[in-house]
Amino acid sequence: MELVAAGAARLSPRRLPALPQAVARPGYDRDGLRAGIVHLGLGAFARAHLAAVNEAALHAGADHGWGICGVSLRQADTRDALAPQGGLYALALRSADAEGKPRQQVAVIGCLLETLVAPEDPQAVLARIAHADTRIVSVTVTEKGYCHEPASGRLNLDHPDIVHDLGQPLAPRSAIGYLAWGLQQRRAAGRGPVTLMSLDNLPANGHLLRGLVLAFAGQVDRALADWIASSCAFPCSMVDRIVPRTTDDDRRDISDTLGVDDAWPVLAEPYLEWVVEDRFAAGRPDWTAGGARFVAEAAPFETLKLRTVNGAHSALAYLSVMAGWATVDQAMAQPALKAYLAVLLRDEIMPTLPPLPGLDLAQYQARLLARYENPALKHQTRQIAMDGSQKLPQRLLDTVRARLAADLPIPGLALAVAAWLHCLRGVDQAGRRYEIQDPMAAVLARELALAEAALEQAAARAGAGPAAMLAWTEALTGLVPVFGDLGQDPRFVRAVAQAAQSLRSLGVAGALAALSPSGAR
Ligand code: CS2
């Protein structure tokens, strides 16, 4: 991919003074920065969230020890784009005014000091984790990057990367492997403990990360595991900002705004939430300057966010992929889908949330739906739909469990789960094919084939219809790593089967209408 036009002027430290006035830029002494933060998983999200908040802290006077060293665990593309720019890149916050006219606020972020590409030089990454300057190692590797079993949260010791990493102290592949072996080097060098901070959309992400790192370390070095357990900190956090993938149009557009080429800008909505537990082993910047909130306990905020923002996002994504609605704002322009999400949030999801004093849920919901409607983001529904096996448990299935425990109905949640199962067929309603992007894709394809066979057998016995669909659903919801015990709950399986039947016979529009016969839900 050609990221910038040949010969064009490139964003770089020496070009900062010439940027248009409206573009914000580092106002602190960038040359004096040291990397106190090592960030594993330098995707668009980390660059639009952690780095943006950290940048604000530096502007507000945080000490110079809080620069960021980014680590890409797989590809060289981010480093290749940003190294010639001295690590600088633009963050464009996009929205629209009341008339739908696009608005954009651009800032050049300066706190990313260097980017390491792990497969090129694993030892450099381990050395960074062990470095005396490092005080926080943060992580955004997405759900699948934790190499855990989604339903139980346990380290998957059969995961090929974990199997590999257990025997490769100097050249691991996974985030968990880098953390454990990096900490081993740190301890051996007599350096102090650090904070390991997960910023991924997982419940109790700090506790999860702690459990996984300790499980790994416990396999290789008991004393290391004890040291980590007793001295390193693993704060939990809730992060919220919608960050779509950057397209070539975005690159051109932002380069035009800057007057110089930026090979990899990131764009995001203006909205940002970051609630993080104030448990740090070796200090932290004052991220409140960038909108972060430090709390004693992040769990209620995580539950709120995962079940509402991500739960509704996934529901929207699976129905949209089936229906062929490419972007979130396009999906939100479908009145039936928007009404479904509003009822799903209000009647099914929100009643399961722990109390959060001072939070107006109706307002939160209205703002969330308005965020989805942002026409300037063009967030692809397929991007959200990927990795469903890793996302469903915390986004939809925990909510299902909470409702079933109180004997409450789950029609909207069941429709979302059924839509995921339908999407696994890899073909939308118009017959367009797409690839299933999921670390469990092979297992899912096998389960789906078994389910289709079960459906055919049941249909041959009793005719196509609800009984056949029940057989199909039973086969799929029996997948324990995703559904855990829910596959054994007839209330869940029946509700999903009914929704699946409705989707298969009526399509998305029909199924939404069937859920809301009066249109007044
Ligand atoms: C989305 C999230 O891609 C997805 O699965 O649901 O990335 C979502 O945009 C963010 O969590 C919002 O904070």
Side-chain angles (χ1 to χ4, degrees):
M1 180 173 36
E2 218 29 79
L3 297 178
V4 290
R10 191 76 174 262
L11 175 62
S12 71
R14 73 185 172 81
R15 293 213 161 89
L16 282 173
L19 295 179
Q21 200 122 63
V23 175
R25 69 208 72 184
Y28 47 87
D29 171 23
R30 208 176 163 243
D31 294 335
L33 284 188
R34 292 186 325 277
I37 302 170
V38 176
H39 184 79
L40 306 187
L42 192 67
F45 181 76
R47 293 205 278 139
H49 190 276
L50 168 72
V53 174
N54 197 57
E55 185 79 0
L58 289 169
H59 273 281
D63 82 63
H64 276 75
W66 291 117
I68 301 178
C69 165
V71 178
S72 294
L73 288 171
R74 301 263 178 268
Q75 326 259 37
D77 47 6
T78 305
R79 191 273 318 273
D80 292 350
L82 301 189
Q85 302 177 181
L88 297 175
Y89 63 91
L91 166 64
L93 301 184
R94 289 184 169 174
S95 58
D97 65 14
E99 278 79 53
K101 213 163 104 267
R103 273 196 301 227
Q104 148 164 302
Q105 217 187 316
V106 181
V108 169
I109 305 293
C111 62
L112 180 65
L113 303 180
E114 90 180 303
T115 301
L116 303 175
V117 181
E120 284 179 6
D121 190 355
Q123 182 50 43
V125 177
L126 297 165
R128 259 288 155 210
I129 295 173
H131 197 283
D133 285 346
T134 301
R135 293 187 270 172
I136 295 174
V137 184
S138 51
V139 181
T140 47
V141 290
T142 80
E143 297 85 347
K144 62 176 174 270
Y146 287 74
C147 303
H148 68 307
E149 190 191 82
S152 69
R154 274 195 295 271
L155 183 66
N156 178 359
L157 288 167
D158 297 326
H159 191 294
D161 287 354
I162 297 298
V163 173
H164 171 271
D165 288 3
L166 284 169
Q168 291 286 342
L170 298 178
R173 284 184 194 145
S174 70
I176 303 298
Y178 271 108
L179 291 173
W181 292 125
L183 289 174
Q184 192 189 48
Q185 292 197 8
R186 191 172 180 90
R187 181 166 172 263
R191 308 232 160 88
V194 291
T195 300
L196 303 162
M197 182 173 68
S198 166
L199 300 175
D200 277 299
N201 284 319
L202 286 158
N205 53 12
H207 301 313
L208 177 77
L209 183 64
R210 181 175 193 272
L212 298 172
V213 172
L214 291 181
F216 186 108
Q219 297 279 322
V220 294
D221 180 347
R222 201 56 261 165
L224 171 68
D226 291 345
W227 179 75
I228 297 172
S230 61
S231 57
C232 291
F234 293 82
C236 296
S237 65
M238 175 271 257
V239 290
D240 194 3
R241 172 167 263 180
I242 296 174
V243 184
R245 199 172 282 143
T246 306
T247 65
D248 286 343
D249 282 348
D250 299 325
R251 280 193 179 89
R252 264 190 296 276
D253 182 72
I254 292 168
S255 296
D256 282 352
T257 304
L258 297 174
V260 287
D261 278 346
D262 180 350
W264 206 330
V266 287
L267 41 128
E269 61 175 342
Y271 183 95
L272 179 139
E273 274 275 13
W274 184 10
V275 178
V276 55
E277 290 175 351
D278 204 359
R279 291 188 285 110
F280 288 76
R284 55 151 174 92
D286 183 8
W287 287 315
T288 53
R293 274 191 285 168
F294 292 99
V295 297
E297 183 80 60
F301 300 93
E302 290 177 346
T303 307
L304 164 74
K305 196 266 172 168
L306 289 168
R307 292 190 186 175
T308 59
V309 180
N310 296 115
H313 230 185
S314 287
L316 176 153
Y318 297 120
L319 290 163
S320 298
V321 168
M322 270 192 84
W325 302 320
T327 62
V328 174
D329 63 309
Q330 193 189 341
M332 289 298 288
Q334 315 293 326
L337 184 79
K338 185 174 166 185
Y340 157 76
L341 292 176
V343 176
L344 177 72
L345 284 161
R346 190 193 64 205
D347 292 358
E348 293 191 40
I349 297 175
M350 287 185 165
T352 72
L353 298 176
L356 266 169
L359 179 74
D360 179 334
L361 283 175
Q363 216 173 53
Y364 186 83
Q365 164 165 337
R367 197 170 42 178
L368 174 58
L369 295 176
R371 291 170 62 199
Y372 291 164
E373 282 173 318
N374 186 341
L377 292 179
K378 301 278 169 262
H379 197 188
Q380 299 290 317
T381 52
R382 290 228 187 118
Q383 185 186 343
I384 303 163
M386 66 192 274
D387 296 344
S389 68
Q390 316 293 302
K391 292 177 174 174
L392 245 65
Q394 60 276 10
R395 292 180 175 210
L396 295 167
L397 303 178
D398 281 349
T399 318
V400 166
R401 277 190 192 91
R403 288 191 68 79
L404 292 179
D407 234 345
L408 294 167
I410 52 163
L413 291 159
L415 185 68
V417 174
W420 177 57
L421 297 177
H422 273 288
C423 282
L424 295 177
R425 293 186 302 173
V427 54
D428 73 12
Q429 283 179 179
R432 283 178 296 239
R433 304 211 146 264
Y434 54 85
E435 195 193 333
I436 304 299
Q437 294 188 46
D438 193 299
M440 290 182 68
V443 177
L444 294 169
R446 213 170 42 235
E447 295 294 318
L448 186 69
L450 291 172
E452 294 290 341
L455 179 129
E456 270 173 38
Q457 272 169 21
R461 274 198 310 273
M469 216 57 220
L470 189 62
W472 184 82
T473 310
E474 273 168 354
L476 285 165
T477 53
L479 190 61
V480 174
V482 177
F483 291 101
D485 54 350
L486 274 179
Q488 305 307 315
D489 190 324
R491 295 169 300 172
F492 172 68
V493 180
R494 270 202 303 270
V496 175
Q498 198 182 350
Q501 172 72 21
S502 179
L503 280 171
R504 198 171 268 215
S505 55
L506 306 172
V508 172
L512 289 172
L515 207 57
S516 150
S518 62
R521 270 171 50 99

PDB file of all heavy atoms in Angstrom, residues 22 265 282 430 432 457 497:
ATOM      1  N   ALA A  22      -5.016  26.231  13.206  1.00  0.00           N
ATOM      2  CA  ALA A  22      -6.110  25.501  13.873  1.00  0.00           C
ATOM      3  C   ALA A  22      -5.686  24.096  14.326  1.00  0.00           C
ATOM      4  O   ALA A  22      -6.410  23.439  15.068  1.00  0.00           O
ATOM      5  CB  ALA A  22      -7.297  25.382  12.930  1.00  0.00           C
ATOM      6  N   PRO A 265      -2.764   8.882   9.938  1.00  0.00           N
ATOM      7  CA  PRO A 265      -3.516   9.600  10.965  1.00  0.00           C
ATOM      8  C   PRO A 265      -4.563   8.677  11.563  1.00  0.00           C
ATOM      9  O   PRO A 265      -4.854   7.617  10.997  1.00  0.00           O
ATOM     10  CB  PRO A 265      -4.197  10.715  10.170  1.00  0.00           C
ATOM     11  CG  PRO A 265      -4.359  10.152   8.789  1.00  0.00           C
ATOM     12  CD  PRO A 265      -3.204   9.201   8.574  1.00  0.00           C
ATOM     13  N   ALA A 282       4.220   2.268  40.296  1.00  0.00           N
ATOM     14  CA  ALA A 282       5.406   3.120  40.162  1.00  0.00           C
ATOM     15  C   ALA A 282       5.016   4.506  39.632  1.00  0.00           C
ATOM     16  O   ALA A 282       5.673   5.059  38.760  1.00  0.00           O
ATOM     17  CB  ALA A 282       6.419   2.448  39.238  1.00  0.00           C
ATOM     18  N   ALA A 430     -28.567 -10.409   0.663  1.00  0.00           N
ATOM     19  CA  ALA A 430     -28.561 -10.188  -0.785  1.00  0.00           C
ATOM     20  C   ALA A 430     -27.669 -11.209  -1.494  1.00  0.00           C
ATOM     21  O   ALA A 430     -27.424 -11.104  -2.691  1.00  0.00           O
ATOM     22  CB  ALA A 430     -28.072  -8.770  -1.075  1.00  0.00           C
ATOM     23  N   ARG A 432     -24.466 -11.673  -0.899  1.00  0.00           N
ATOM     24  CA  ARG A 432     -23.043 -11.282  -0.965  1.00  0.00           C
ATOM     25  C   ARG A 432     -22.247 -12.048   0.078  1.00  0.00           C
ATOM     26  O   ARG A 432     -22.650 -12.121   1.235  1.00  0.00           O
ATOM     27  CB  ARG A 432     -22.894  -9.775  -0.700  1.00  0.00           C
ATOM     28  CG  ARG A 432     -23.265  -8.906  -1.883  1.00  0.00           C
ATOM     29  CD  ARG A 432     -23.131  -7.453  -1.481  1.00  0.00           C
ATOM     30  NE  ARG A 432     -24.099  -7.157  -0.420  1.00  0.00           N
ATOM     31  CZ  ARG A 432     -25.051  -6.231  -0.504  1.00  0.00           C
ATOM     32  NH1 ARG A 432     -25.150  -5.489  -1.587  1.00  0.00           N
ATOM     33  NH2 ARG A 432     -25.899  -6.035   0.486  1.00  0.00           N
ATOM     34  N   GLN A 457     -31.852 -32.900   9.386  1.00  0.00           N
ATOM     35  CA  GLN A 457     -32.398 -34.151   9.953  1.00  0.00           C
ATOM     36  C   GLN A 457     -33.721 -33.896  10.650  1.00  0.00           C
ATOM     37  O   GLN A 457     -34.709 -34.614  10.451  1.00  0.00           O
ATOM     38  CB  GLN A 457     -31.435 -34.734  10.975  1.00  0.00           C
ATOM     39  CG  GLN A 457     -30.408 -35.647  10.353  1.00  0.00           C
ATOM     40  CD  GLN A 457     -29.310 -35.974  11.368  1.00  0.00           C
ATOM     41  OE1 GLN A 457     -29.508 -35.852  12.568  1.00  0.00           O
ATOM     42  NE2 GLN A 457     -28.162 -36.383  10.852  1.00  0.00           N
ATOM     43  N   ALA A 497     -33.575 -19.763  19.427  1.00  0.00           N
ATOM     44  CA  ALA A 497     -34.137 -20.531  18.300  1.00  0.00           C
ATOM     45  C   ALA A 497     -35.313 -19.777  17.674  1.00  0.00           C
ATOM     46  O   ALA A 497     -35.447 -19.717  16.453  1.00  0.00           O
ATOM     47  CB  ALA A 497     -34.586 -21.909  18.783  1.00  0.00           C
TER      48      ALA A 497
END
